[in-house]
């Protein structure tokens, strides 16, 4: 009941602890009405201050001036009812009203000018400096586009006063002025303290991050733009007071070719379409939305469903019409009010912008909408002849060379045949059956890439029959070899799982058959039965390539048999591999097929690397790269380079590995090798450069890897890469970006189900990240969801202990003590079944700390009980279960601090000295925590027990020890404490 002033004050205090939003604002309005019923204006003043803050934060600029008018009336009638802080706020908040009045086009400009003039009079009468008034006049000038430069000079050259906007907000406006003048560089320079985190406030860096997105992209600083989008969008998401900034993030998505991300932002912010309290900010939101929708419509996605104003279903085209109509109306209203075209001009400038990148900027986020741009055209792709016969001949030529572009050329052949091109036999390219066989092989290739082995075998067998009917025996053999090699795996038999040996035997029989054909149809010499002149190479070369292909299939089948038997392949399988790779290599050397020699070496290198013979693996791969160079088929170098890079990474040779992967990716892109493992390569490159300290590069490459996995519908792989990306972001001090990445993993995509273990790890990482950011309530919610997810994992009880322990602490941090107590007991019960002593002792120490922080001396008994439980766990644990000195020392340290807080100084000093003694057992590894325990002991001695000389002596000894251990920060801290005691005498 709000029937007394005290009850209203208590309700105001409770409401101020809520997050800003509709509930807090509505409650603030109710409390103003309740406060107005009493004869104590001071309560009404406080309630109006709270209401005005709520209006400002949530963008209710139509209502804010009304609340301030009531405040001003109270101030003029009874200023003694205002506290010193509230009195200062009258002058400060008078300037907020200027912005609110500008936001509403129905308010005449003369009214806004008159308000600023009244504010000037109040400031002058109170003896305040006029810089804040000049700032308000600049805002009007910048908004209307009239005299902005002069107004800027009058504002920016005046000294700041106690009523000026905070430093970060002024930096934002200074940079915005320079941006409006067309100077991106100067704007970014102005914003540097805000963007690097050294200047913050309640609105910053969120607003400046949004403003900086496009200037950063235009400056070629895409990594920074990505970073500020990831972290900045989380700060403004769903905030009705940040409509303009959300519009800027939508604009960034459109101009960085991340339209899918933009659609997801619209979906997350759908309620904002109903936010009408700040028309100017709404115009910014609608303009960013319009730019995004226009890009999608121009790319042919007008019929794509999109989230718009609640109440109906929308398509891109329909929402674009709706948004454009309202935005045009708003812009026209502002320009009519202002008597200028400035607002409309700025809107038209934004809408005229084109994408700033040729390809989508990888953001590292999982999106439910695929990229809308086509992949880039290879730099060195062979041109497709216009005439059909020429196209077929070029496809055959590139196929004989093994060029990656061959598949695309064959696809064009199939398309033109389907469209009714001239019949092949009329164009001098051989029998129709030959082309039919070749296209069947190409169809098999596509099916194999899609893991449809059964369909591929049908196509290969059809091709083999056609080749045989044409008298092309080598082509038939090569195709039959592929049937054996690439066909579906044999089912596990009664004697155990398929180990590939049966397939090896089948291939050996085929090679024996090839020997018979070799006697009958030699690799060199004529054979009238063959379609001479029609193939991509002359008949002798074509037969040689087919023969090499048969031997390759045998070697590969032997290699796969070894792989199936890992981690302990049988001696027979290894011997077969050595035999058949030896045959392939010898015959390839005899017939001048260096690319097949490279293939043989890669099989051997992979097995050698997996069995720990890294020296042989490296030797074979380096030789394979020389063979590739000799083959004059540079597009074949990507795979051995990746293989070699992986081995070098294991040896810690990260720089050389990074160079190899860079080269592999470059070559694969140059030659259009769409079978190259781009996603895996970018992942490997991300790890390599991360080890080299290039965290920006690591983020860029891992983000690209995740996007490519998404494109290939490899959702679990994409999620796994994003987990790695989040780790890199966290390690590089960017936990807010890591959280954004984890949120995207868990956001879900229609028709996509991720592995439950991957999802659990993502949720654990997200919960920890939110906790690190101080977002304890959402962190606790994630931990509870995770606890439910892992509750049924009977085969993994330790994870249940871990989750319960971390969830309990996080619930306590979120001030949800009832739930924390329940999960606390659950954690201890889980520990009894699946022990995790270090986690439990950390949980108990944190509960002890938080208990006294929450309840003060009333919580002392419970806090000490938590620490006693920690002691029991350490005593019961085995030597291999924890680091005993660290656990004992940490618990003594926590007990010392709690007892000192309760002014039980003798006991506290005993505990601090016990902590020092425990850390002494840890040797060099314990020097830092030992120094901290010494600091606490000295504080207890010098302040609690007033034995400053003893404290100085203790500190002097510890300083010398820390200096010897090169603990510079500890030395500085301890010296400052010692000096403070010495100064007191």
């Amino acid at each position: 009941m709000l029937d007394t002033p005290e009850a209203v004050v208590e309700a105001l205090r409770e409401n101020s602890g809520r997050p800003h939003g509709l509930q807090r604002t509505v409650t603030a309005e109710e409390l103003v009405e309740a406060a107005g019923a009493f004869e104590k204006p001071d309560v009404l003043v406080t309630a109006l201050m709270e209401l005005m803050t709520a209006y400002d934060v949530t963008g209710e600029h139509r209502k804010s001036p009304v609340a301030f008018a009531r405040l001003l009336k109270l101030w003029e009638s009874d200023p003694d009812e205002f506290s010193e802080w509230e009195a200062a706020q009258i002058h400060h908040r008078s300037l907020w009203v200027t912005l609110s009045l500008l936001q509403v086009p129905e308010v005449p400009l003369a009214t806004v000018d008159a308000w600023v003039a009244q504010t000037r009079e109040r400031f002058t009468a109170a003896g305040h400096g006029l810089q804040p008034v000049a700032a308000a006049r600049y805002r009007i000038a910048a908004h209307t586009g009239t005299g902005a430069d002069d107004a800027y000079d009058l504002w920016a050259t005046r000294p700041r006063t106690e009523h000026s906007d905070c430093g970060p907000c002024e930096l934002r406006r200074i940079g915005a002025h320079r941006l409006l003048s067309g100077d991106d560089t100067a704007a970014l320079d102005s914003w540097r303290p805000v963007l690097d985190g050294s200047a913050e406030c309640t609105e910053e860096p969120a607003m400046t991050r949004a403003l900086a997105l496009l200037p950063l992209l235009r400056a070629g600083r895409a990594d920074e733009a990505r970073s500020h989008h990831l972290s900045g969008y989380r700060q403004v998401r769903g905030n009705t007071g940040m409509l303009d900034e959300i519009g800027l993030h939508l604009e960034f998505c459109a101009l960085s070719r991340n339209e899918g991300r933009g659609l997801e932002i619209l979906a997350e912010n759908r309620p904002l379409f109903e936010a009408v309290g700040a028309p100017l900010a709404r115009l910014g939101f609608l303009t960013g939305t319009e730019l995004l929708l226009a890009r999608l419509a121009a790319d042919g996605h007008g019929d794509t469903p999109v989230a718009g104003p609640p109440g109906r279903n929308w398509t891109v085209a329909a929402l674009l019409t709706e948004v454009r109509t309202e935005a045009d109306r708003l812009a026209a209203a502002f320009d009519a009010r202002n008597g200028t075209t400035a607002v409309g001009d700025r809107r038209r400038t934004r809408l005229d912008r084109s994408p700033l990148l040729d390809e989508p900027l990888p953001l590292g986020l999982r999106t439910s909408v695929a990229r809308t741009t086509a992949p880039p055209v290879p730099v060195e792709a062979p041109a497709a002849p216009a005439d059909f016969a020429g196209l077929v001949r070029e496809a055959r030529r590139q196929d004989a060379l093994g060029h990656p572009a061959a598949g695309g050329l064959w696809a064009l052949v199939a398309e033109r045949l389907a469209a009714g091109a001239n019949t092949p036999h009329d164009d001098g390219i051989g029998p129709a059956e030959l082309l039919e066989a070749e296209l069947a092989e190409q169809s098999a290739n596509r099916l194999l890439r899609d893991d449809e082995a059964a369909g591929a075998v049908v196509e290969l067998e059809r091709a083999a029959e056609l080749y045989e009917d044409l008298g092309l025996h080598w082509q038939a053999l090569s195709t039959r070899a592929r049937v054996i090699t690439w066909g579906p795996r044999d089912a596990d038999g009664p004697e155990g799982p398929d180990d590939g040996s049966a397939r090896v035997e089948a291939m050996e029989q085929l090679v024996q058959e090839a020997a018979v054909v070799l006697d009958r149809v030699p690799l060199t010499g004529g054979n009238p039965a063959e379609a001479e002149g029609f193939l991509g190479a002359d008949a002798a070369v074509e037969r040689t390539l087919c023969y090499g292909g048969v031997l390759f299939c045998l070697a590969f089948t032997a290699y796969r048999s070894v792989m199936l038997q890992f981690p302990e392949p049988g001696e027979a399988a290894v011997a077969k591999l050595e035999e058949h790779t030896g045959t392939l290599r010898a015959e390839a050397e005899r017939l001048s097929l260096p690319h097949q020699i490279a293939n043989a070496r890669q099989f051997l290198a992979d097995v050698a690397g997996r069995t720990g013979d890294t020296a042989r693996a490296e030797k074979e791969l380096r030789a394979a790269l020389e063979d590739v160079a000799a083959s004059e088929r540079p597009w074949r170098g990507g795979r051995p380079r990746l293989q070699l890079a992986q081995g070098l990474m294991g040896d810690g040779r990260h720089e050389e590995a990074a160079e190899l992967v860079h080269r592999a990716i470059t070559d694969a892109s140059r030659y259009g090798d769409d079978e190259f493992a781009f996603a895996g390569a970018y992942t490997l490159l991300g790890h390599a450069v991360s080890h080299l300290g290039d965290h920006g590069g690591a983020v860029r490459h891992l983000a690209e890897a995740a996007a490519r996995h998404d494109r290939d519908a490899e959702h679990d792989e994409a999620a796994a890469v994003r987990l790695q990306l989040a780790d890199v972001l966290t390690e590089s001090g960017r936990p807010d970006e890591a959280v954004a990445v984890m949120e995207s993993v868990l956001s879900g995509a229609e028709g996509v189900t991720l592995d439950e273990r991957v999802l659990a790890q993502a949720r654990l990482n997200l919960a920890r990240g939110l906790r690190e950011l101080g977002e304890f309530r959402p962190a606790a919610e994630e931990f509870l969801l995770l606890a439910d997810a892992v509750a049924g994992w009977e085969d993994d009880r330790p994870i249940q202990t871990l989750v319960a322990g971390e969830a309990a602490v996080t619930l306590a941090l979120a001030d949800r003590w009832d739930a924390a107590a329940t999960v606390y007991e659950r954690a201890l019960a889980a520990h009894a079944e699946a022990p995790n002593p270090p986690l439990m002792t950390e949980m108990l120490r944190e509960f002890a700390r938080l208990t006294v922080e929450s309840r003060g001396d009333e919580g002392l008994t419970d806090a000490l009980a938590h620490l006693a439980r920690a002691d029991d766990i350490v005593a019961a644990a085995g030597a291999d279960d924890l680091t005993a000195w660290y656990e004992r020392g940490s618990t003594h340290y926590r007990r010392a601090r709690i007892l000192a807080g309760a002014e039980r100084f003798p006991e506290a000093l005993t505990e601090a000295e016990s902590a020092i003694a425990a850390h002494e057992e840890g040797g060099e590894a314990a020097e830092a925590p030992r120094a901290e325990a010494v600091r606490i002991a000295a504080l207890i001695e010098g302040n609690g027990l007033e034995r400053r000389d003893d404290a100085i002596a203790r500190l002097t000894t510890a300083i010398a020890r820390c200096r010897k251990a090169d603990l510079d920060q500890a030395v500085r801290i301890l010296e400052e404490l010692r000096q403070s005691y010495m100064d007191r005498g």
Side-chain angles (χ1 to χ4, degrees), residues 238-268:
N239 187 341
T240 55
M242 294 281 187
L243 279 173
D244 211 349
E245 287 67 33
I246 294 171
L248 291 170
H249 281 278
L250 289 168
E251 180 179 33
F252 165 79
C253 291
L255 300 184
S256 66
R257 297 189 183 274
N258 280 284
E259 295 89 345
R261 166 69 167 165
L263 290 180
E264 291 194 340
I265 289 176
L266 279 183
E268 286 183 322

Side-chain angles (χ1 to χ4, degrees), residues 350-697:
R350 288 180 69 182
L351 294 175
D352 286 343
R353 288 171 179 156
S354 299
L356 297 168
L357 303 174
D358 294 330
E359 295 185 58
L361 174 66
L363 299 177
L365 302 176
R366 175 188 182 188
T367 62
S368 58
V369 183
R371 294 177 172 182
T372 59
T373 54
V377 177
V379 178
E380 298 188 15
D387 67 293
F388 185 76
L391 177 62
V392 172
R393 282 193 288 269
E394 182 62 17
R396 287 171 176 168
R397 188 175 76 84
Q398 297 299 336
D399 208 7
L401 291 172
H403 197 290
L409 293 171
W410 281 117
L412 282 175
V413 170
E415 287 177 13
R416 293 192 189 178
L417 271 178
N422 293 332
T423 53
H425 58 273
D426 290 341
D427 294 308
I429 53 174
E433 292 80 6
L434 173 59
L435 189 55
E436 184 182 352
E438 292 166 319
L439 291 174
E441 274 200 272
Q442 295 303 316
S443 175
N445 291 342
R446 290 191 295 274
L447 289 167
L448 285 170
R449 284 197 295 270
D450 294 337
D451 292 326
E452 297 181 21
V457 167
V458 171
E459 291 293 292
L460 288 170
E461 288 176 339
R462 183 164 69 90
E465 291 177 6
L466 288 166
Y467 284 133
E468 202 68 64
D469 291 343
L470 290 168
L472 299 174
H473 304 296
W474 281 111
Q475 284 80 357
L477 276 170
S478 176
T479 307
R480 287 168 56 200
R482 294 182 64 206
V483 170
I484 297 172
T485 303
W486 301 110
R489 282 185 55 187
D490 296 335
D492 294 346
E495 298 181 1
D498 172 29
D499 62 1
S501 56
R503 199 185 297 258
V504 174
E505 291 176 4
M507 275 301 310
E508 288 174 334
Q509 292 176 6
L510 187 85
V511 171
Q512 290 176 6
E513 184 179 337
V516 175
V517 175
L518 185 60
D519 290 338
R520 190 174 78 247
V521 185
L523 295 177
T524 59
N527 178 14
E530 293 190 281
E532 302 284 3
F534 297 133
L535 300 174
D538 64 41
V541 171
E542 181 67 20
R543 294 175 206 147
T544 301
L545 291 172
C546 290
Y547 176 54
V550 171
L551 295 179
F552 166 83
C553 287
L554 175 56
F556 177 79
T557 306
Y559 160 76
R560 187 162 63 173
S561 178
V562 172
M563 292 296 102
L564 287 171
Q565 297 178 34
F566 259 96
E568 297 182 2
E571 292 182 4
V574 174
K576 288 281 188 185
L577 174 63
E578 293 285 354
E579 175 189 350
H580 296 315
T581 53
T583 300
L584 173 60
R585 179 174 171 180
E587 287 293 271
E589 287 175 347
R590 180 176 70 85
L591 299 169
S592 298
L593 299 173
H595 66 284
Q596 293 290 18
I597 303 174
N599 288 333
R601 293 188 190 279
Q602 288 177 73
F603 297 147
L604 295 172
D606 193 23
V607 173
R610 291 171 184 265
T611 54
D613 190 351
T614 56
R616 183 185 182 187
E618 181 176 349
K619 178 181 177 182
E620 294 285 3
L621 288 170
R622 292 195 184 280
L625 288 172
E626 292 177 4
D627 295 327
V628 168
S631 74
E632 297 184 352
R633 299 181 178 200
W635 48 83
R636 288 185 172 270
R639 289 161 182 78
R641 283 193 178 89
L642 282 187
Q643 207 172 332
L644 178 56
Q646 288 173 325
L648 295 177
M649 285 284 290
D651 288 342
R653 295 151 69 180
H654 304 117
E655 185 170 3
E656 188 178 357
E659 292 174 357
L660 285 165
V661 182
H662 265 300
R663 172 70 183 279
I665 291 172
T666 300
D667 284 352
S669 300
R670 175 181 299 142
Y671 299 111
D673 186 356
D674 59 1
E675 294 186 29
F676 179 76
F678 279 103
Y682 276 109
T683 302
L684 184 60
L685 183 56
H687 290 314
V689 301
S690 176
H691 283 292
L692 295 171
D694 180 7
H695 290 113

